[in-house]
Amino acid sequence: MNSLTKRREPFTYMLYLGIIGSSILFLFIFLIFLKKEYSNQDIPVATPKIFWLSTATILLSSLGLFLSKSYVKAEKFSLYRLALVISFILGILFITFQIIGWQQLYQKNITIQNHTGASFLFILSALHIVHTLGGLVALAMTVFKAFKHASYVDSFVYNVNPPNQLRLKLVSIYWHFLDIMWLIIFLFMLYHAS
């Protein structure tokens, strides 16, 4: 059986299709920015300093999810639950820091109405936050199920079940996508910073 005719797991396939669709959406926004910048010569983007902190939090939350998968394989279920909770809290902190960054721009009178670069920053950041909220919902369900099966035996039985392994895999893939997408947005904004 070759790789083209091999049966694929449908949920993973759908997730990758969604990731491709979201990536295309972000790409179009980048292209619109670059077209406008080419027309106007220069569109500086005001990047709040707190976005450095939000970047660190999403990177750490992604690391937490990576570790949670390794803790499951090592049957260290209490560390698995701790890593999931830390990842979830860091995801909430990421969104909080984003909103604080918006407020900092607003206090400097940098708004969508008076600053073209800021309008792209707000659009990219807001769109990423919407995607992150979806990831937080999925992560919250994973955390809930992890604590619902808290004893060692329950944790073991739950985590060797293929559909439950798939759930953690899908949440991890999506969260790592959010991480990579934010890094691209952040580096793009830094490159075009005022």
Side-chain angles (χ1 to χ4, degrees):
M1 185 179 291
N2 70 29
S3 64
L4 294 176
T5 60
K6 180 180 158 187
R7 185 183 181 281
R8 308 225 187 279
E9 199 288 310
F11 292 114
T12 306
Y13 185 72
M14 288 188 301
L15 176 64
Y16 280 121
L17 284 178
I19 286 172
I20 290 168
S22 293
S23 299
I24 291 170
L25 176 63
F26 281 104
L27 176 65
F28 278 126
I29 295 169
F30 288 135
L31 291 175
I32 291 168
F33 177 90
L34 293 173
K35 182 182 180 300
K36 281 186 141 318
E37 186 174 63
Y38 180 74
S39 302
N40 298 341
Q41 300 304 325
D42 188 31
I43 303 174
V45 177
T47 308
K49 299 270 189 265
I50 198 161
F51 277 17
W52 284 95
L53 195 53
S54 68
T55 302
T57 59
I58 200 162
L59 288 171
L60 289 172
S61 70
S62 203
L63 175 64
L65 269 175
F66 174 78
L67 290 174
S68 70
K69 286 177 66 178
S70 64
Y71 290 143
V72 165
K73 288 178 186 170
E75 298 178 17
K76 297 179 178 179
F77 300 117
S78 59
L79 289 175
Y80 158 68
R81 287 188 291 274
L82 178 63
L84 283 179
V85 168
I86 289 171
S87 293
F88 182 78
I89 291 168
L90 289 171
I92 291 172
L93 275 175
F94 170 78
I95 292 175
T96 304
F97 292 147
Q98 294 286 295
I99 293 169
I100 291 170
W102 293 358
Q103 291 171 337
Q104 289 174 350
L105 291 177
Y106 184 75
Q107 289 167 355
K108 294 177 183 176
N109 199 29
I110 300 173
T111 64
I112 291 175
Q113 291 82 12
N114 66 13
H115 197 284
T116 306
S119 65
F120 281 99
L121 180 139
F122 283 115
I123 290 167
L124 288 167
S125 176
L127 193 56
H128 191 272
I129 285 174
V130 169
H131 283 76
T132 305
L133 286 171
L136 281 173
V137 169
L139 188 53
M141 290 170 29
T142 305
V143 169
F144 173 77
K145 297 213 181 242
F147 278 93
K148 185 177 178 186
H149 304 279
S151 74
Y152 180 83
V153 173
D154 282 349
S155 293
F156 180 80
V157 170
Y158 178 79
N159 287 301
V160 296
N161 189 344
N164 299 328
Q165 290 175 349
L166 177 63
R167 180 180 294 116
L168 181 60
K169 175 186 169 187
L170 295 177
V171 169
S172 295
I173 290 170
Y174 183 73
W175 203 260
H176 296 320
F177 160 71
L178 291 173
D179 189 4
I180 291 166
M181 185 53 65
W182 175 252
L183 281 176
I184 292 168
I185 292 168
F186 185 61
L187 292 173
F188 184 83
M189 289 186 300
L190 285 181
Y191 180 76
H192 294 280
S194 52

PDB file of all heavy atoms in Angstrom, residues 100-120:
ATOM      1  N   ILE A 100      -3.666  43.540  27.058  1.00  0.00           N
ATOM      2  CA  ILE A 100      -2.906  44.625  27.707  1.00  0.00           C
ATOM      3  C   ILE A 100      -2.105  45.394  26.657  1.00  0.00           C
ATOM      4  O   ILE A 100      -2.024  46.629  26.697  1.00  0.00           O
ATOM      5  CB  ILE A 100      -1.992  44.066  28.819  1.00  0.00           C
ATOM      6  CG1 ILE A 100      -2.834  43.556  29.996  1.00  0.00           C
ATOM      7  CG2 ILE A 100      -0.999  45.122  29.298  1.00  0.00           C
ATOM      8  CD1 ILE A 100      -2.054  42.774  31.030  1.00  0.00           C
ATOM      9  N   GLY A 101      -1.531  44.680  25.679  1.00  0.00           N
ATOM     10  CA  GLY A 101      -0.799  45.336  24.595  1.00  0.00           C
ATOM     11  C   GLY A 101      -1.692  46.260  23.790  1.00  0.00           C
ATOM     12  O   GLY A 101      -1.302  47.379  23.439  1.00  0.00           O
ATOM     13  N   TRP A 102      -2.910  45.813  23.519  1.00  0.00           N
ATOM     14  CA  TRP A 102      -3.877  46.673  22.810  1.00  0.00           C
ATOM     15  C   TRP A 102      -4.151  47.941  23.621  1.00  0.00           C
ATOM     16  O   TRP A 102      -4.208  49.029  23.074  1.00  0.00           O
ATOM     17  CB  TRP A 102      -5.185  45.947  22.586  1.00  0.00           C
ATOM     18  CG  TRP A 102      -5.160  44.787  21.651  1.00  0.00           C
ATOM     19  CD1 TRP A 102      -4.095  44.318  20.937  1.00  0.00           C
ATOM     20  CD2 TRP A 102      -6.252  43.955  21.335  1.00  0.00           C
ATOM     21  NE1 TRP A 102      -4.477  43.233  20.194  1.00  0.00           N
ATOM     22  CE2 TRP A 102      -5.787  42.981  20.413  1.00  0.00           C
ATOM     23  CE3 TRP A 102      -7.583  43.903  21.723  1.00  0.00           C
ATOM     24  CZ2 TRP A 102      -6.612  41.994  19.888  1.00  0.00           C
ATOM     25  CZ3 TRP A 102      -8.398  42.928  21.195  1.00  0.00           C
ATOM     26  CH2 TRP A 102      -7.923  41.981  20.294  1.00  0.00           C
ATOM     27  N   GLN A 103      -4.337  47.758  24.941  1.00  0.00           N
ATOM     28  CA  GLN A 103      -4.617  48.910  25.807  1.00  0.00           C
ATOM     29  C   GLN A 103      -3.440  49.881  25.813  1.00  0.00           C
ATOM     30  O   GLN A 103      -3.632  51.102  25.809  1.00  0.00           O
ATOM     31  CB  GLN A 103      -4.935  48.450  27.233  1.00  0.00           C
ATOM     32  CG  GLN A 103      -6.248  47.726  27.350  1.00  0.00           C
ATOM     33  CD  GLN A 103      -6.446  47.084  28.717  1.00  0.00           C
ATOM     34  OE1 GLN A 103      -5.490  46.808  29.444  1.00  0.00           O
ATOM     35  NE2 GLN A 103      -7.699  46.818  29.065  1.00  0.00           N
ATOM     36  N   GLN A 104      -2.224  49.352  25.822  1.00  0.00           N
ATOM     37  CA  GLN A 104      -1.046  50.224  25.796  1.00  0.00           C
ATOM     38  C   GLN A 104      -1.012  51.050  24.516  1.00  0.00           C
ATOM     39  O   GLN A 104      -0.676  52.238  24.548  1.00  0.00           O
ATOM     40  CB  GLN A 104       0.235  49.392  25.923  1.00  0.00           C
ATOM     41  CG  GLN A 104       0.448  48.800  27.295  1.00  0.00           C
ATOM     42  CD  GLN A 104       1.655  47.868  27.346  1.00  0.00           C
ATOM     43  OE1 GLN A 104       2.241  47.517  26.327  1.00  0.00           O
ATOM     44  NE2 GLN A 104       2.019  47.449  28.559  1.00  0.00           N
ATOM     45  N   LEU A 105      -1.349  50.437  23.393  1.00  0.00           N
ATOM     46  CA  LEU A 105      -1.390  51.174  22.137  1.00  0.00           C
ATOM     47  C   LEU A 105      -2.480  52.247  22.176  1.00  0.00           C
ATOM     48  O   LEU A 105      -2.267  53.382  21.741  1.00  0.00           O
ATOM     49  CB  LEU A 105      -1.629  50.227  20.959  1.00  0.00           C
ATOM     50  CG  LEU A 105      -0.491  49.285  20.613  1.00  0.00           C
ATOM     51  CD1 LEU A 105      -0.895  48.351  19.483  1.00  0.00           C
ATOM     52  CD2 LEU A 105       0.762  50.058  20.232  1.00  0.00           C
ATOM     53  N   TYR A 106      -3.625  51.883  22.708  1.00  0.00           N
ATOM     54  CA  TYR A 106      -4.744  52.827  22.793  1.00  0.00           C
ATOM     55  C   TYR A 106      -4.380  54.025  23.667  1.00  0.00           C
ATOM     56  O   TYR A 106      -4.715  55.164  23.354  1.00  0.00           O
ATOM     57  CB  TYR A 106      -5.995  52.112  23.321  1.00  0.00           C
ATOM     58  CG  TYR A 106      -7.209  52.985  23.338  1.00  0.00           C
ATOM     59  CD1 TYR A 106      -7.886  53.293  22.156  1.00  0.00           C
ATOM     60  CD2 TYR A 106      -7.689  53.510  24.536  1.00  0.00           C
ATOM     61  CE1 TYR A 106      -8.999  54.105  22.172  1.00  0.00           C
ATOM     62  CE2 TYR A 106      -8.811  54.321  24.559  1.00  0.00           C
ATOM     63  CZ  TYR A 106      -9.461  54.612  23.368  1.00  0.00           C
ATOM     64  OH  TYR A 106     -10.566  55.421  23.386  1.00  0.00           O
ATOM     65  N   GLN A 107      -3.660  53.775  24.773  1.00  0.00           N
ATOM     66  CA  GLN A 107      -3.241  54.871  25.658  1.00  0.00           C
ATOM     67  C   GLN A 107      -2.255  55.806  24.969  1.00  0.00           C
ATOM     68  O   GLN A 107      -2.170  56.982  25.304  1.00  0.00           O
ATOM     69  CB  GLN A 107      -2.627  54.306  26.945  1.00  0.00           C
ATOM     70  CG  GLN A 107      -3.650  53.665  27.859  1.00  0.00           C
ATOM     71  CD  GLN A 107      -3.010  52.837  28.969  1.00  0.00           C
ATOM     72  OE1 GLN A 107      -1.796  52.662  29.022  1.00  0.00           O
ATOM     73  NE2 GLN A 107      -3.848  52.322  29.868  1.00  0.00           N
ATOM     74  N   LYS A 108      -1.517  55.301  23.983  1.00  0.00           N
ATOM     75  CA  LYS A 108      -0.597  56.143  23.204  1.00  0.00           C
ATOM     76  C   LYS A 108      -1.294  56.757  21.986  1.00  0.00           C
ATOM     77  O   LYS A 108      -0.655  57.329  21.124  1.00  0.00           O
ATOM     78  CB  LYS A 108       0.605  55.312  22.725  1.00  0.00           C
ATOM     79  CG  LYS A 108       1.500  54.826  23.831  1.00  0.00           C
ATOM     80  CD  LYS A 108       2.607  53.970  23.236  1.00  0.00           C
ATOM     81  CE  LYS A 108       3.496  53.399  24.322  1.00  0.00           C
ATOM     82  NZ  LYS A 108       4.520  52.502  23.780  1.00  0.00           N
ATOM     83  N   ASN A 109      -2.621  56.593  21.930  1.00  0.00           N
ATOM     84  CA  ASN A 109      -3.446  57.097  20.834  1.00  0.00           C
ATOM     85  C   ASN A 109      -3.075  56.444  19.498  1.00  0.00           C
ATOM     86  O   ASN A 109      -3.146  57.068  18.445  1.00  0.00           O
ATOM     87  CB  ASN A 109      -3.385  58.623  20.726  1.00  0.00           C
ATOM     88  CG  ASN A 109      -4.558  59.167  19.940  1.00  0.00           C
ATOM     89  OD1 ASN A 109      -5.630  58.571  19.924  1.00  0.00           O
ATOM     90  ND2 ASN A 109      -4.342  60.277  19.259  1.00  0.00           N
ATOM     91  N   ILE A 110      -2.671  55.184  19.553  1.00  0.00           N
ATOM     92  CA  ILE A 110      -2.409  54.403  18.341  1.00  0.00           C
ATOM     93  C   ILE A 110      -3.603  53.473  18.161  1.00  0.00           C
ATOM     94  O   ILE A 110      -3.760  52.499  18.899  1.00  0.00           O
ATOM     95  CB  ILE A 110      -1.088  53.611  18.454  1.00  0.00           C
ATOM     96  CG1 ILE A 110       0.082  54.566  18.661  1.00  0.00           C
ATOM     97  CG2 ILE A 110      -0.873  52.739  17.230  1.00  0.00           C
ATOM     98  CD1 ILE A 110       1.396  53.890  18.960  1.00  0.00           C
ATOM     99  N   THR A 111      -4.470  53.819  17.210  1.00  0.00           N
ATOM    100  CA  THR A 111      -5.706  53.069  17.009  1.00  0.00           C
ATOM    101  C   THR A 111      -5.837  52.655  15.545  1.00  0.00           C
ATOM    102  O   THR A 111      -5.066  53.089  14.688  1.00  0.00           O
ATOM    103  CB  THR A 111      -6.934  53.909  17.405  1.00  0.00           C
ATOM    104  OG1 THR A 111      -7.010  55.035  16.528  1.00  0.00           O
ATOM    105  CG2 THR A 111      -6.843  54.377  18.849  1.00  0.00           C
ATOM    106  N   ILE A 112      -6.858  51.866  15.286  1.00  0.00           N
ATOM    107  CA  ILE A 112      -7.141  51.430  13.915  1.00  0.00           C
ATOM    108  C   ILE A 112      -7.463  52.631  13.031  1.00  0.00           C
ATOM    109  O   ILE A 112      -7.091  52.675  11.865  1.00  0.00           O
ATOM    110  CB  ILE A 112      -8.303  50.410  13.912  1.00  0.00           C
ATOM    111  CG1 ILE A 112      -7.856  49.100  14.559  1.00  0.00           C
ATOM    112  CG2 ILE A 112      -8.824  50.154  12.512  1.00  0.00           C
ATOM    113  CD1 ILE A 112      -8.944  48.073  14.720  1.00  0.00           C
ATOM    114  N   GLN A 113      -8.142  53.634  13.610  1.00  0.00           N
ATOM    115  CA  GLN A 113      -8.576  54.794  12.829  1.00  0.00           C
ATOM    116  C   GLN A 113      -7.423  55.689  12.392  1.00  0.00           C
ATOM    117  O   GLN A 113      -7.485  56.310  11.340  1.00  0.00           O
ATOM    118  CB  GLN A 113      -9.588  55.649  13.620  1.00  0.00           C
ATOM    119  CG  GLN A 113     -10.927  54.986  13.836  1.00  0.00           C
ATOM    120  CD  GLN A 113     -10.925  54.014  15.015  1.00  0.00           C
ATOM    121  OE1 GLN A 113     -10.000  53.984  15.808  1.00  0.00           O
ATOM    122  NE2 GLN A 113     -11.966  53.207  15.101  1.00  0.00           N
ATOM    123  N   ASN A 114      -6.364  55.773  13.186  1.00  0.00           N
ATOM    124  CA  ASN A 114      -5.312  56.744  12.867  1.00  0.00           C
ATOM    125  C   ASN A 114      -3.947  56.130  12.552  1.00  0.00           C
ATOM    126  O   ASN A 114      -2.973  56.845  12.402  1.00  0.00           O
ATOM    127  CB  ASN A 114      -5.173  57.768  14.008  1.00  0.00           C
ATOM    128  CG  ASN A 114      -4.682  57.152  15.298  1.00  0.00           C
ATOM    129  OD1 ASN A 114      -4.217  56.015  15.324  1.00  0.00           O
ATOM    130  ND2 ASN A 114      -4.780  57.893  16.378  1.00  0.00           N
ATOM    131  N   HIS A 115      -3.864  54.794  12.459  1.00  0.00           N
ATOM    132  CA  HIS A 115      -2.563  54.172  12.257  1.00  0.00           C
ATOM    133  C   HIS A 115      -2.744  52.888  11.448  1.00  0.00           C
ATOM    134  O   HIS A 115      -3.251  51.890  11.953  1.00  0.00           O
ATOM    135  CB  HIS A 115      -1.933  53.866  13.621  1.00  0.00           C
ATOM    136  CG  HIS A 115      -0.469  53.595  13.584  1.00  0.00           C
ATOM    137  ND1 HIS A 115       0.049  52.402  13.144  1.00  0.00           N
ATOM    138  CD2 HIS A 115       0.593  54.356  13.931  1.00  0.00           C
ATOM    139  CE1 HIS A 115       1.366  52.421  13.243  1.00  0.00           C
ATOM    140  NE2 HIS A 115       1.716  53.610  13.710  1.00  0.00           N
ATOM    141  N   THR A 116      -2.312  52.893  10.200  1.00  0.00           N
ATOM    142  CA  THR A 116      -2.489  51.728   9.318  1.00  0.00           C
ATOM    143  C   THR A 116      -1.764  50.497   9.853  1.00  0.00           C
ATOM    144  O   THR A 116      -2.304  49.392   9.847  1.00  0.00           O
ATOM    145  CB  THR A 116      -1.981  52.045   7.894  1.00  0.00           C
ATOM    146  OG1 THR A 116      -2.627  53.225   7.446  1.00  0.00           O
ATOM    147  CG2 THR A 116      -2.265  50.919   6.940  1.00  0.00           C
ATOM    148  N   GLY A 117      -0.544  50.678  10.331  1.00  0.00           N
ATOM    149  CA  GLY A 117       0.210  49.553  10.876  1.00  0.00           C
ATOM    150  C   GLY A 117      -0.487  48.929  12.072  1.00  0.00           C
ATOM    151  O   GLY A 117      -0.522  47.707  12.224  1.00  0.00           O
ATOM    152  N   ALA A 118      -1.076  49.792  12.920  1.00  0.00           N
ATOM    153  CA  ALA A 118      -1.794  49.283  14.092  1.00  0.00           C
ATOM    154  C   ALA A 118      -3.029  48.496  13.680  1.00  0.00           C
ATOM    155  O   ALA A 118      -3.382  47.510  14.333  1.00  0.00           O
ATOM    156  CB  ALA A 118      -2.186  50.431  15.008  1.00  0.00           C
ATOM    157  N   SER A 119      -3.674  48.906  12.598  1.00  0.00           N
ATOM    158  CA  SER A 119      -4.868  48.166  12.170  1.00  0.00           C
ATOM    159  C   SER A 119      -4.499  46.728  11.796  1.00  0.00           C
ATOM    160  O   SER A 119      -5.217  45.798  12.141  1.00  0.00           O
ATOM    161  CB  SER A 119      -5.571  48.879  11.017  1.00  0.00           C
ATOM    162  OG  SER A 119      -4.763  48.896   9.868  1.00  0.00           O
ATOM    163  N   PHE A 120      -3.355  46.549  11.128  1.00  0.00           N
ATOM    164  CA  PHE A 120      -2.926  45.190  10.800  1.00  0.00           C
ATOM    165  C   PHE A 120      -2.539  44.422  12.056  1.00  0.00           C
ATOM    166  O   PHE A 120      -2.844  43.240  12.192  1.00  0.00           O
ATOM    167  CB  PHE A 120      -1.771  45.215   9.797  1.00  0.00           C
ATOM    168  CG  PHE A 120      -2.229  45.443   8.394  1.00  0.00           C
ATOM    169  CD1 PHE A 120      -2.163  46.698   7.829  1.00  0.00           C
ATOM    170  CD2 PHE A 120      -2.751  44.406   7.644  1.00  0.00           C
ATOM    171  CE1 PHE A 120      -2.596  46.919   6.538  1.00  0.00           C
ATOM    172  CE2 PHE A 120      -3.195  44.613   6.350  1.00  0.00           C
ATOM    173  CZ  PHE A 120      -3.116  45.872   5.795  1.00  0.00           C
TER     174      PHE A 120
END
